[in-house]
Amino acid sequence: MPRLPRPLTVAGPPPDPRPLRQKRRRETAAAWTFVSPAVLIVLGLSIVPVIWSLLLSFQASDLVTPSRWVGLDNYRALAQDPDFSQAVRNTLLYTVLYVPLSLLFGLVLALVLNRRIRFVGIYRTLIFVPFVLSATAQGVLFSFILDPEFGAANSLLHRLGVSSQGFLSDPSQALLVLVAITLWSGTGFCVVVYLAALQDVPQSLIEAARLDGAGRRHLLRHVTLPTLTPVTVFLVLWQAIQSLQVFDLVYVTTKGGPLGSTTVIVYFIWEQAFKNATAGYGASAAYVLAVALGLVAGAVRIVRRRGRHRLEGAQS
């Protein structure tokens, strides 16, 4: 059969891209219409206040009368302020005590509650409930319990033959008592996170270690804890940030006293900005705290990166 000649085709004009561009513009405009309220809220409640407070830290202002530009004078005054130094020491001591103890208690309780025991669901709920309570409610509750004259704690100590304690009214005990209160409420978060992480520990590793003759202590040290390392790093960062920003509990219970023994950085910032009417000075202290939080986050990130590189090198 003879081949038929292939028909000749002439390419038509290229399609007009203008309708497609107009459609994309309409879609973009519609998207921004829906997103713009959230963007305005974010700008109005976060970005703008951050920039405004940064400018305020270089000024002498009481938020009422016109402010005056002072440059770095607020930051120089902070370096020489004994009250700020005491607030920094109190905050660091609070953090050093609270963070490792909350992780330790959380891990121990999670290991206990990870077993098949009777009423384990009730125990988990009871441990987590204090974390749900607000810091204000906790402060009011323990202010009554630890009252030096009429509190239930001293009443119990009196029955046990122990002398009454000052608790929140004693400068040597107040900060330690605040740490204990925060441990009562904050440990539940660590327990829940560690319980969730323990569910993801590979059973194959545990069974292989048991076949090799590993006991409970070796399983915990060489299998469980290495698996929980990413979660532990997250909890260290989270608890450190929370402890550096503690305010509500201090405000409700001690107001920074007695004798400034519980004045932490955030309470110092509030006191300077709103009680002493030195908003610029308080803003400079706030940015010192922001830099400290950034350094903590950066240090934890570096540790995580080094651990990841070390693990990849061991696997290769």
Side-chain angles (χ1 to χ4, degrees):
M1 183 177 179
R3 287 186 178 181
L4 297 177
R6 297 181 61 181
L8 297 176
T9 58
V10 179
D16 189 1
R18 285 178 295 180
L20 182 59
R21 292 176 182 175
Q22 294 175 357
K23 181 180 179 181
R24 289 178 179 177
R25 289 175 182 175
R26 287 195 299 267
E27 292 177 351
T28 302
W32 276 108
T33 302
F34 288 106
V35 173
S36 57
V39 173
L40 293 176
I41 291 174
V42 171
L43 290 175
L45 298 180
S46 59
I47 307 297
V48 173
V50 167
I51 298 175
W52 178 72
S53 61
L54 178 61
L55 297 175
L56 188 65
S57 67
F58 298 104
Q59 303 175 31
S61 172
D62 58 1
L63 300 179
V64 178
T65 59
S67 58
R68 177 171 53 88
W69 186 267
V70 295
L72 296 175
D73 289 352
N74 287 330
Y75 293 94
R76 296 190 185 99
L78 280 177
Q80 302 173 359
D81 191 346
D83 293 334
F84 180 71
S85 300
Q86 184 181 22
V88 171
R89 288 194 300 269
N90 292 338
T91 305
L92 292 178
L93 179 59
Y94 180 92
T95 303
V96 168
L97 291 175
Y98 170 67
V99 174
L101 288 177
S102 64
L103 266 66
L104 177 62
F105 293 156
L107 177 60
V108 171
L109 290 173
L111 291 172
V112 173
L113 296 177
N114 194 42
R115 302 178 180 180
R116 294 182 179 179
I117 56 179
R118 196 174 183 184
F119 304 123
V120 66
I122 297 177
Y123 301 147
R124 293 175 178 176
T125 303
L126 291 176
I127 289 176
F128 185 70
V129 163
F131 176 74
V132 181
L133 298 177
S134 66
T136 303
Q138 298 170 29
V140 173
L141 173 64
F142 281 97
S143 294
F144 284 106
I145 295 176
L146 302 176
D147 186 270
E149 297 181 4
F150 309 104
N154 273 331
S155 177
L156 178 61
L157 292 178
H158 180 71
R159 292 185 179 183
L160 296 176
V162 181
S163 60
S164 299
Q165 302 295 316
F167 295 118
L168 295 173
S169 60
D170 188 343
S172 63
Q173 299 179 4
L175 188 64
L176 300 178
V177 171
L178 290 181
V179 173
I181 295 173
T182 315
L183 284 173
W184 173 77
S185 61
T187 303
F189 178 75
C190 297
V191 172
V192 171
V193 174
Y194 272 131
L195 273 174
L198 287 173
Q199 305 299 320
D200 292 334
V201 175
Q203 291 297 320
S204 58
L205 293 179
I206 297 177
E207 294 174 359
R210 287 175 177 172
L211 291 176
D212 291 338
R216 289 185 177 180
R217 186 182 64 179
H218 293 88
L219 283 174
L220 177 63
R221 180 179 178 183
H222 299 288
V223 178
T224 304
L225 291 181
T227 307
L228 297 179
T229 299
V231 174
T232 302
V233 173
F234 161 75
L235 286 176
V236 168
L237 178 60
W238 178 269
Q239 297 292 77
I241 292 176
Q242 295 299 314
S243 59
L244 290 174
Q245 297 183 103
V246 62
F247 170 77
D248 298 352
L249 188 62
V250 175
Y251 180 81
V252 174
T253 54
T254 63
K255 296 291 192 299
L259 301 178
S261 59
T262 60
T263 300
V264 292
I265 294 181
V266 178
Y267 186 83
F268 176 85
I269 295 170
W270 173 85
E271 193 174 39
Q272 297 301 321
F274 301 104
K275 189 176 180 180
N276 298 339
T278 53
Y281 192 57
S284 62
Y287 270 90
V288 171
L289 175 60
V291 171
L293 292 175
L295 292 176
V296 170
V300 172
R301 186 172 182 179
I302 291 173
V303 171
R304 290 188 62 183
R305 184 178 300 175
R306 289 183 177 178
R308 190 182 302 114
H309 291 337
R310 190 180 301 112
L311 180 60
E312 291 176 354
Q315 291 177 349
S316 60

